[in-house]
Amino acid sequence: MSRPVFAFVAVLAFLVDLAFGAQLYAFDSNTPLQSSYDYIVVGCGISGLVVSNRLSEDSSVSVLCIEAGLADNYEPIIQDPVYVGADIGGRYDWKLATVPQTQLDGATRPMPQGKVLGGGSILNAMCWNRGGKDDYDAWEALGNPGWSWEGLLPYFRKSETYTPVYSEEIARQYSINYDPAAHGTSGPVQVSYPKYFYPQSINLFDGLNYLGVPTEFDPNDGSSAGAAFVPTDLDPENQTRSDARRAYFDPFRDRPNFHVITGQHVTRVLINDAPPSVDVSSPSPGGNEHGEGSSTGNNEGFGFDPEGSTLPVTSQQKTRRRDSSRSDLEITGVEIAPDASAPRQTIAATREVIIAAGALHSVQLLELSGIGPASLLKSFDIPVAIDLPGVGNNLQDHCLVGTFYPYNNASYPSPTDLTINATYNKQAEQEYKAQKTGPWTAGSPNALAFPPLALISDSSASILKGADDQDPTQYLVSGLDPSIVAGYTLQKKSLVQRLGAKTVAAYEIINNNAGSLTVSVMHPFSRGTCSINSPDPFEPPIIDPRWLSNPVDRQVLIEALRFNRRILATPSMLELQAAQFVPPIDADEDALNRVINNGIRTEFHPSGTCAMLPLEHGGVVDAHLRVWGTRNLRVVDASIFPLVPAAHLQAVVYGVAEKAADIIKSDNVGVSSNHMESYPSYFATISVSNSSIALLHSNSTSSIDSTVTLFVDKTRLAIVIRFVKWLLSLLEVN
């Protein structure tokens, strides 16, 4: 067989296989999807992929998950632990930013969010911890039956396959404690430990023990107040990131009723009998084409103004409000577009629409759809479907302040050696690629501490008394709906009661083993806002976290920075020979405040903006995560947290989404399904480049550089035939 004919047969065989089995990736907006699905999930990050995967376990239902970003290409910067954080501000980031933070230094800050199949699990620091039992018991106490620690623990376990650390000696040295009852053994996400440990972590834990901070506990068993070497979402065999895409999509991509499309923005949800906003549903060429911000994503640095940084989102304007306590508003589907200039298309949902777009974009989508504070919606001429004041309020985030205490004891290996010593880095790279061991496996900041306030400060009682004495409205934005104030009053009471205990974390110490002991508030009293900036769905939302607008959070950080000095003065930490540059060793309170004002950044944990609370307490969703006033619209992501837990949030979101999937399944028992069309609507992109053609047909002299996007349904064979004809014409030339 000649090489041209062999090439033709090989490509033809590939295309026929594609025609009957291809999946995913790019959506050709000129070719329609199925006309309807049982469930449509908006956002294919952690929560979106978990929910859509679990719902599609029922083969009688159809599930579509829609992602605005693209799928990653298994790049090393995504998969290899050494690159943790390196792709923030890159192609898989929304590049959002806050408004100027006038209560700090007046500057804006990056607010990175994943814009990619897998969402934040593609970009995050891979830390895997859940927070304290008290965090979730507080959720239930705020009016959410079933959301206590005991109610969530089965779902935390369901999401993971936990592999204990490979060495008992390592476990002893690094205070790695394992409670089998707290962990799962057959879940989608691989949770394990790196194959390299920096010895500085031992010094830190010894120093914390010296000061009375405990380490003898499993950080995922509901205990949180202390120090621990936390696991990561890391495959124990190949030492690569185990993210939501690789855990909940890739192994299930052949499931015929589970469809995922990328590169499509949901511009609004469709509400039965509700008029659309012309500005929302009309193409807007010449503006922000892809909905991204302009932030570089640089998050360097790991006087009190109660009014915060922006005008408040209010709902005080008199309006004829739909009764949000009634569940009668029906959602019929979604409207989508690949970019701002494109015409809108609609897809119907016969059962439910589940919004899983994250704490910032879920707010934006609700408001663009007419669900939110009425005065805000009216200001943009968006018809009010439900006046729901809580949408976009209650924004909470773990804000952090970076420190710089470089260790000068050269006998300790340091992560910075990988950046300043090319030979050492090359050796580490070769070890990782050949053996999956060494420093390249240890990119995540695993050695963490979550100290309680009472253990680190003699001022804890006075700080908490000051918090208790505050009028609830004193440090909130003005003009809030009374329901939001009522909800915050209960939240503040819970925070004061719990933070007085020695079993509840007040803040986090993030150790990078190179001389940074970054501190971050875990139970913030400050509340921010998020809202639309325009009726244009491709304009980024206004994000105002209002970090430290409540002075209690600032006091916690000051005490934390002072405690860092005590840590560095312990015998074990003195061995590292730290130089205290930021803050300097002699910094007084004014100097500490300057460090705080300049150094505050996000820890990438925005949450609470669609809070799961009773309607009379500013809630947006009920305990079944159904949006108040609707029959079949839910929100499932970090926005539903009534209080942000003392944890890195990915493990929390996985557990919440697992529980949500079971709730949705239970609520839909007995509901008839939308029958699937005979040919599933998958999508694929095939790139045909000069190099790939050369491998197939080395005698060809034609220059070929094209990308063919195939729609894989009833039209697939026709497209394959056209492609084959093109190949035949190519072969005739040769």
Side-chain angles (χ1 to χ4, degrees):
M1 184 182 295
S2 67
R3 280 182 293 182
V5 174
F6 175 80
F8 169 75
V9 171
V11 174
L12 177 61
F14 169 74
L15 290 172
V16 170
D17 179 69
L18 171 73
F20 292 97
Q23 320 231 344
L24 184 62
Y25 299 141
F27 167 51
D28 179 356
S29 60
N30 296 315
T31 311
L33 285 162
Q34 284 181 194
S35 58
S36 66
Y37 290 81
D38 289 301
Y39 299 101
I40 295 178
V41 181
V42 181
C44 304
I46 292 175
S47 55
L49 286 179
V50 172
V51 169
S52 53
N53 174 297
R54 294 304 189 186
L55 293 178
S56 66
E57 289 175 334
D58 179 355
S59 61
S60 70
V61 303
S62 56
V63 182
L64 172 66
C65 194
I66 305 173
E67 170 58 38
L70 301 175
D72 71 271
N73 295 307
Y74 298 88
E75 299 97 324
I77 199 172
I78 298 299
Q79 295 204 90
D80 298 351
V82 70
Y83 294 117
V84 158
D87 205 37
I88 290 175
R91 65 181 300 196
Y92 302 129
D93 185 358
W94 278 98
K95 304 180 183 69
L96 302 177
T98 71
V99 298
Q101 295 297 286
T102 58
Q103 78 282 11
L104 300 173
D105 58 0
T108 65
R109 265 72 169 178
M111 186 64 80
Q113 296 281 284
K115 185 184 181 184
V116 60
L117 184 64
S121 71
I122 301 293
L123 302 178
N124 66 23
M126 301 175 63
C127 296
W128 191 270
N129 67 322
R130 303 164 180 165
K133 179 179 183 293
D134 64 285
D135 286 313
Y136 306 101
D137 291 349
W139 285 13
E140 185 170 64
L142 288 171
N144 299 300
W147 288 91
S148 67
W149 170 259
E150 294 302 324
L152 271 164
L153 180 58
Y155 296 102
F156 289 144
R157 297 179 62 191
K158 185 177 182 179
S159 69
E160 70 175 26
T161 291
Y162 178 86
T163 301
V165 69
Y166 52 88
S167 161
E168 291 185 4
E169 177 62 18
I170 290 290
R172 185 191 62 78
Q173 287 180 315
Y174 289 85
S175 301
I176 299 174
N177 297 280
Y178 168 46
D179 177 3
H183 291 284
T185 57
S186 58
V189 183
Q190 296 294 324
V191 178
S192 68
Y193 296 87
K195 296 293 181 67
Y196 185 87
F197 292 78
Y198 286 99
Q200 294 91 326
S201 299
I202 299 174
N203 297 68
L204 174 63
F205 288 166
D206 286 348
L208 289 167
N209 288 163
Y210 184 85
L211 295 171
V213 178
T215 53
E216 297 300 320
F217 64 95
D218 183 328
N220 286 302
D221 69 357
S223 306
S224 65
F229 197 97
V230 303
T232 55
D233 56 328
L234 186 69
D235 188 299
E237 298 301 323
N238 62 25
Q239 292 286 295
T240 59
R241 181 188 293 267
S242 179
D243 55 70
R245 173 193 171 173
R246 273 150 276 272
Y248 283 86
F249 177 73
D250 283 358
F252 307 95
R253 58 193 303 167
D254 290 331
R255 192 178 286 169
N257 62 328
F258 178 19
H259 299 177
V260 169
I261 56 174
T262 61
Q264 290 292 314
H265 296 243
V266 175
T267 55
R268 65 184 177 101
V269 299
L270 306 176
I271 301 173
N272 193 31
D273 297 328
S277 165
V278 174
D279 292 330
V280 172
S281 296
S282 300
S284 53
N288 188 327
E289 279 294 290
H290 301 288
E292 296 178 355
S294 57
S295 171
T296 63
N298 189 341
N299 202 49
E300 290 178 354
F302 286 147
F304 308 115
D305 177 7
E307 292 302 316
S309 305
T310 61
L311 293 176
V313 178
T314 70
S315 191
Q316 291 296 90
Q317 179 177 324
K318 298 295 182 180
T319 182
R320 185 175 180 272
R321 176 185 299 188
R322 174 182 283 271
D323 184 358
S324 303
S325 64
R326 292 171 53 195
S327 300
D328 58 352
L329 198 69
E330 182 181 5
I331 308 304
T332 60
V334 298
E335 179 183 83
I336 65 173
D339 54 58
S341 300
R344 310 307 196 232
Q345 297 189 12
T346 62
I347 310 172
T350 59
R351 289 196 183 188
E352 298 195 15
V353 170
I354 299 107
I355 299 175
L360 307 176
H361 287 106
S362 288
V363 169
Q364 183 181 30
L365 181 55
L366 285 173
E367 291 177 346
L368 291 169
S369 305
I371 301 173
S375 58
L376 174 74
L377 303 182
K378 289 181 177 181
S379 71
F380 292 116
D381 293 325
I382 296 174
V384 180
I386 303 178
D387 179 13
L388 201 54
V391 175
N393 280 292
N394 197 49
L395 173 58
Q396 300 161 60
D397 188 25
H398 294 147
C399 61
L400 60 78
V401 176
T403 63
F404 185 50
Y405 316 122
Y407 302 148
N408 291 309
N409 188 336
S411 67
Y412 283 79
S414 172
T416 57
D417 294 339
L418 296 171
T419 59
I420 64 175
N421 187 329
T423 301
Y424 175 73
N425 183 60
K426 187 64 176 178
Q427 292 170 345
E429 179 185 12
Q430 291 170 346
E431 179 183 358
Y432 176 72
K433 291 181 177 180
Q435 304 174 33
K436 297 301 179 181
T437 59
W440 269 42
T441 71
S444 182
N446 301 78
L448 308 175
F450 295 83
L453 192 60
L455 277 184
I456 66 109
S457 173
D458 294 334
S459 302
S460 62
S462 62
I463 291 172
L464 293 175
K465 184 180 186 305
D468 193 34
D469 290 343
Q470 288 177 3
D471 182 286
T473 64
Q474 187 173 358
Y475 297 102
L476 298 176
V477 294
S478 60
L480 289 173
D481 188 271
S483 65
I484 298 170
V485 176
Y488 178 73
T489 300
L490 295 176
Q491 293 176 38
K492 186 170 77 71
K493 181 179 179 181
S494 173
L495 291 172
V496 170
Q497 290 174 343
R498 291 188 291 132
L499 286 177
K502 292 186 178 181
T503 56
V504 176
Y507 74 101
E508 178 183 14
I509 301 173
I510 306 170
N511 159 52
N512 75 345
N513 291 306
S516 176
L517 300 177
T518 295
V519 294
S520 175
V521 176
M522 285 292 101
H523 287 112
F525 285 74
S526 301
R527 294 294 180 270
T529 61
C530 176
S531 66
I532 55 173
N533 188 33
S534 162
D536 181 352
F538 292 87
E539 282 297 319
I542 297 174
I543 306 163
D544 185 8
R546 302 182 70 248
W547 296 305
L548 309 191
S549 55
N550 190 306
V552 172
D553 299 339
R554 183 181 291 268
Q555 290 171 309
V556 169
L557 285 180
I558 288 174
E559 295 304 309
L561 291 173
R562 288 172 173 161
F563 189 66
N564 273 1
R565 293 177 186 165
R566 294 173 59 193
I567 295 171
L568 294 170
T570 60
S572 61
M573 291 297 286
L574 285 172
E575 293 179 13
L576 301 179
Q577 301 171 19
Q580 297 188 43
F581 290 145
V582 180
I585 192 170
D586 59 349
D588 60 14
E589 186 163 329
D590 287 342
L592 292 177
N593 272 315
R594 286 194 294 273
V595 169
I596 290 170
N597 286 341
N598 294 330
I600 283 286
R601 299 291 188 274
T602 180
E603 200 181 346
F604 318 112
H605 300 160
S607 55
T609 50
C610 298
M612 177 175 59
L613 288 169
L615 187 61
E616 62 270 22
H617 296 154
V620 175
V621 300
D622 62 18
H624 281 220
L625 307 185
R626 189 180 291 110
V627 175
W628 286 108
T630 72
R631 184 179 65 80
N632 61 336
L633 178 65
R634 302 192 204 235
V635 180
V636 182
D637 54 36
S639 70
I640 65 95
F641 300 174
L643 288 167
V644 63
H648 292 254
L649 297 190
Q650 69 164 337
V652 183
V653 175
Y654 277 110
V656 165
E658 287 280 12
K659 183 177 177 70
D662 270 5
I663 290 173
I664 297 168
K665 288 180 178 180
S666 177
D667 287 350
N668 280 274
V669 170
V671 178
S672 60
S673 297
N674 170 44
H675 293 291
M676 297 285 291
E677 296 178 3
S678 58
Y679 290 94
S681 299
Y682 285 123
F683 304 93
T685 297
I686 305 172
S687 295
V688 183
S689 66
N690 287 332
S691 57
S692 60
I693 288 293
L695 290 173
L696 291 171
H697 186 193
S698 59
N699 288 336
S700 173
T701 58
S702 299
S703 174
I704 303 171
D705 188 5
S706 60
T707 298
V708 180
T709 300
L710 298 187
F711 176 69
V712 189
D713 67 352
K714 296 176 182 178
T715 64
R716 289 182 293 182
L717 289 176
I719 296 175
V720 169
I721 290 170
R722 289 198 298 270
F723 195 84
V724 169
K725 288 180 178 178
W726 172 79
L727 280 176
L728 286 171
S729 66
L730 175 66
L731 293 174
E732 288 174 358
V733 175
N734 296 278

